[in-house]
Amino acid sequence: MSDTAFAQADPQWLDLIGQAREWFAGPHGQLLLREEQRLLEEELARFFGGYLVHYGPSAEPPPVAGQIHRNVRMGAPFPGVEIVCEEQAWPLGEHAADVVVLQHGLDFSLSPHGLLREAASAVRPGGHLLIVGINPWSAWGARRVFAKDALHKARCFSASRVADWLNLLGFGLEKRRFGCYRPPLASPSWQARLAGLERVAGKWQSGGGGFYILVARKMVVGLRPLVQQRREPMGKLLPLPMAKVNRDNPNIDGKA
């Protein structure tokens, strides 16, 4: 990215996103992203349209939707980002995207409400907004309290709280999914031994997963039919007689 983009961005925000990128590149972040990738691809496979916008701090290639024509990655001025933007100033028109994915965007944000408003505004009526967040009521959320890495700076809003925000912004929640039931262990061998937790707990969709995915649809405003009030008839309307013009008289304006 250009030096100009770095110079104009908020240094505190850049530092936060930079630390988050490093954490997602580590063993804990990679475990979380692998499980998210699988569930996100399942959800995105059923969407179609012109544009999908992805926003998130991870440096990994984001999941794509095969039936959407163009997948665009937005965010801080780091490698892999196609459109550089601040979290509260997206360079998109209103209703520009069919699908918007916020993958840990709210977790690592200086202004989560402002970011969510930008994302909501970019979704067209009838389009979808997918939000991925670290579940605070999980082993991952508990680790955040004692962590000394970038996870300690994650906001970790609960799925219910984010769902309430979406409702206020005119979105209807269609689905809530959880994943990554393995505890945040850095050892690959222990991650492999506990892989069975994903199959068992994931089947029952227990609320103790390390992350959640919210799938919300933007409600179309103005399509609810209005109740027609009954009006009593007030008489029969009759056509008025039309004036007959004598085209043989040159003084049609009434002058002598």
Side-chain angles (χ1 to χ4, degrees):
M1 293 300 164
S2 65
D3 295 336
T4 303
F6 276 99
Q8 294 177 350
D10 185 342
Q12 184 181 359
W13 177 57
L14 284 178
D15 181 64
L16 176 63
I17 300 300
Q19 292 186 48
R21 286 171 72 91
E22 292 181 4
W23 185 82
F24 279 112
H28 295 113
Q30 288 293 298
L31 172 60
L32 208 62
L33 291 176
R34 283 196 302 269
E35 295 300 323
E36 292 172 3
Q37 186 88 2
R38 180 174 57 85
L39 296 187
L40 280 173
E41 288 179 350
E42 290 180 5
E43 294 300 325
L44 293 176
R46 62 190 181 92
F47 298 135
F48 59 90
Y51 286 93
L52 180 148
V53 174
H54 180 278
Y55 179 97
S58 170
E60 297 294 323
V64 297
Q67 300 187 86
I68 293 184
H69 179 69
R70 182 75 169 89
N71 292 260
V72 180
R73 190 173 187 181
M74 292 177 47
F78 285 97
V81 176
E82 299 173 84
I83 300 178
V84 173
C85 70
E86 295 183 355
E87 59 181 11
Q88 296 190 74
W90 286 20
L92 298 177
E94 189 177 10
H95 306 160
D98 299 279
V99 180
V100 172
V101 179
L102 287 184
Q103 190 171 8
H104 299 292
L106 298 180
D107 289 329
F108 296 94
S109 171
L110 297 182
S111 179
H113 290 94
L115 172 60
L116 189 58
R117 282 194 297 268
E118 287 295 304
S121 176
V123 180
R124 67 167 176 82
H128 288 82
L129 175 58
L130 279 70
I131 298 180
V132 183
I134 298 175
N135 181 12
W137 314 120
S138 67
W140 293 79
R143 185 187 182 279
R144 166 190 170 272
V145 179
F146 306 101
K148 296 182 180 180
D149 50 24
L151 182 61
H152 183 70
K153 297 185 177 182
R155 308 295 292 266
C156 295
F157 300 104
S158 69
S160 298
R161 187 175 182 184
V162 177
D164 290 340
W165 293 348
L166 290 171
N167 182 59
L168 293 175
L169 290 172
F171 284 78
L173 186 64
E174 290 188 344
K175 189 179 295 185
R176 181 183 321 202
R177 300 186 68 177
F178 293 91
C180 198
Y181 292 92
R182 280 173 280 184
L185 301 175
S187 171
S189 60
W190 275 105
Q191 290 183 6
R193 291 176 186 177
L194 297 174
L197 288 175
E198 303 298 336
R199 295 189 296 271
V200 176
K203 179 180 179 180
W204 296 100
Q205 276 299 289
S206 168
F211 69 86
Y212 58 82
I213 298 178
L214 300 181
V215 182
R217 185 172 184 268
K218 193 170 190 176
M219 308 304 292
V220 182
V221 181
L223 294 184
R224 187 176 64 179
L226 298 178
V227 179
Q228 297 290 336
Q229 296 182 355
R230 183 178 179 182
R231 302 179 62 182
E232 298 295 335
M234 299 181 65
K236 186 177 181 180
L237 295 178
L238 299 176
L240 295 176
M242 298 185 64
K244 184 177 181 181
V245 179
N246 186 358
R247 299 185 181 275
D248 295 333
N249 187 0
N251 298 322
I252 59 175
D253 57 355
K255 294 182 181 180

